[in-house]
């Protein structure tokens, strides 16, 4: 006799919405961060207008060397430089999340440190693409002869190779405080561009600078991009160097983020 009313009451109770999964939280955070970054006018000008302008300048000065091959190398280097700036700068934005208390809100809302790190990498990876494409499109428009397939492969190689530079930005954002993170990012980016031979051929520098250049990822990002564009032997050493940096920085990011989350929860 009482079963029917009980069943009716239980069915009338409002159901609690299921909590979003970790993957959903990660994607939402990545989309939010990407949207905030690409709407920053100064950021987009810095990561697109500057490398495009430098490509046009260097291309006008040195593009005719090597039977025109130099033009393609300059395009690769300036695309890598634009991507480097976007990667490091986007990575350091994590400091703003800490300073504003947004990181604390995310942790309280259930975003795990792993999801936070993955979302940050995804967002930074997304904002790299406009810088790479902008320089590449201007390069083709100004005379770099390349097939569509080779062009897309070169962009993809540069995009993948820039992963450790994203992690460098995140580490700086975790370790440095306030405006120091942004300043540290700019200094690091300039140093990696110079020692990596993105502005001038590394062979023009003293031997000790060349040794440093061969040990950092930016030099090999350029070499892999040039290999993808012009062919030749695969720079296996570059793959090993980039892989080692990615692994080491990944561990450092995890440790730094765990420490930051611990401080946030206090």
């Amino acid at each position: 006799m009482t079963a029917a009313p009980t069943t009716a009451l239980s069915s009338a109770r409002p159901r609690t919405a299921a909590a979003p999964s970790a993957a959903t939280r990660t994607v939402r955070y990545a989309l939010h961060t990407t949207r905030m970054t690409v709407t920053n006018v100064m950021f987009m000008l810095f990561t697109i207008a500057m490398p495009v302008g430098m490509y046009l300048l260097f291309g006008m000065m040195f593009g005719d060397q090597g039977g025109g091959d130099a033009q393609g190398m300059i395009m690769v280097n300036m695309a890598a430089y634009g991507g480097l700036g976007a990667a490091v700068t986007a990575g350091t934005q994590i400091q703003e999340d800490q300073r504003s208390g947004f990181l604390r809100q995310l942790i309280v809302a259930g975003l795990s440190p792993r999801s936070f790190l993955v979302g940050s990498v995804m967002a930074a990876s997304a904002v790299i693409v406009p810088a790479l494409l902008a320089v590449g499109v201007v390069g083709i428009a100004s005379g770099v002869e390349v097939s569509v397939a080779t062009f897309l492969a070169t962009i993809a190689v540069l995009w993948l190779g820039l992963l450790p530079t994203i992690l460098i930005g995140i580490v700086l954002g975790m370790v440095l405080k306030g405006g120091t993170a942004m300043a540290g990012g700019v200094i690091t980016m300039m140093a990696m561009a110079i020692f990596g031979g993105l502005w001038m051929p590394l062979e023009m520098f003293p031997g000790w600078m060349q040794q440093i250049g061969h040990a950092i990822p930016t030099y090999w990002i350029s070499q892999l991009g040039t290999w993808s564009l012009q062919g030749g032997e695969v720079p296996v050493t570059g793959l090993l160097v980039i892989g080692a940096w990615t692994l080491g920085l990944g561990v450092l990011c995890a440790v730094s983020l765990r420490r930051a989350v611990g401080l946030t929860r206090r």
Side-chain angles (χ1 to χ4, degrees):
M1 296 293 292
T2 59
T6 302
T7 303
L9 287 173
S10 62
S11 62
R13 293 172 183 165
R15 295 182 178 180
T16 304
S21 65
T24 301
R25 294 177 189 272
T26 301
V27 172
R28 286 178 180 175
Y29 172 68
L31 291 174
H32 166 78
T33 305
T34 302
R35 183 168 59 252
M36 294 295 291
T37 304
V38 298
T39 54
N40 186 327
V41 177
M42 292 304 297
F43 173 85
M44 298 307 292
L45 286 175
F46 177 73
T47 58
I48 293 178
M50 182 176 289
V52 167
M54 293 180 68
Y55 163 74
L56 293 173
L57 175 63
F58 289 152
M60 183 172 56
M61 295 172 60
F62 309 111
D64 293 336
Q65 297 181 7
D69 287 345
Q71 190 83 8
M73 295 176 63
I74 294 170
M75 182 187 76
V76 167
N77 284 357
M78 290 304 102
Y81 172 62
L84 170 66
V88 174
T89 306
T92 57
Q93 295 299 311
I94 202 170
Q95 172 57 219
E96 178 62 24
D97 290 337
Q98 289 190 86
R99 188 194 63 78
S100 65
F102 187 50
L103 174 58
R104 180 181 179 83
Q105 295 178 24
L106 291 172
I107 298 301
V108 171
L111 187 73
S112 68
R114 178 182 299 178
S115 295
F116 183 72
L117 178 58
V118 172
S120 298
V121 172
M122 290 172 60
S125 298
V127 300
I128 287 174
V129 177
L132 297 177
L133 288 177
V135 176
V137 169
V138 172
I140 293 176
S142 61
V144 177
E145 297 182 0
V146 60
S147 66
V148 174
T150 300
F151 173 75
L152 293 177
T154 301
I155 295 297
V157 166
L158 292 174
W159 181 71
L160 292 171
L162 284 164
L163 175 58
T165 65
I166 296 174
L167 299 178
I168 288 173
I170 293 175
V171 170
L172 292 174
M174 288 282 99
V175 174
L176 303 179
K177 304 301 180 184
T180 309
M182 187 63 67
V186 172
I187 293 173
T188 301
M189 178 196 66
M190 300 286 281
M192 294 186 73
I194 294 172
F195 283 91
L198 298 185
W199 290 352
M200 301 294 289
L202 197 61
E203 292 72 22
M204 297 179 61
F205 295 117
W208 65 270
M209 289 185 66
Q210 294 185 37
Q211 291 179 358
I212 294 176
H214 291 157
I216 62 178
T218 40
Y219 172 78
W220 295 108
I221 292 169
S222 169
Q223 294 299 304
L224 285 167
T226 302
W227 161 77
S228 178
L229 184 71
Q230 299 178 350
E233 295 185 3
V234 180
V236 178
T237 302
L239 296 175
L240 296 175
V241 171
I242 291 174
W245 274 82
T246 301
L247 180 60
L249 287 166
V251 173
L252 189 56
C253 279
V255 172
S256 300
L257 183 57
R258 188 176 296 111
R259 176 177 177 273
V261 170
L263 293 174
T264 300
R265 285 172 171 166
R266 291 180 181 176

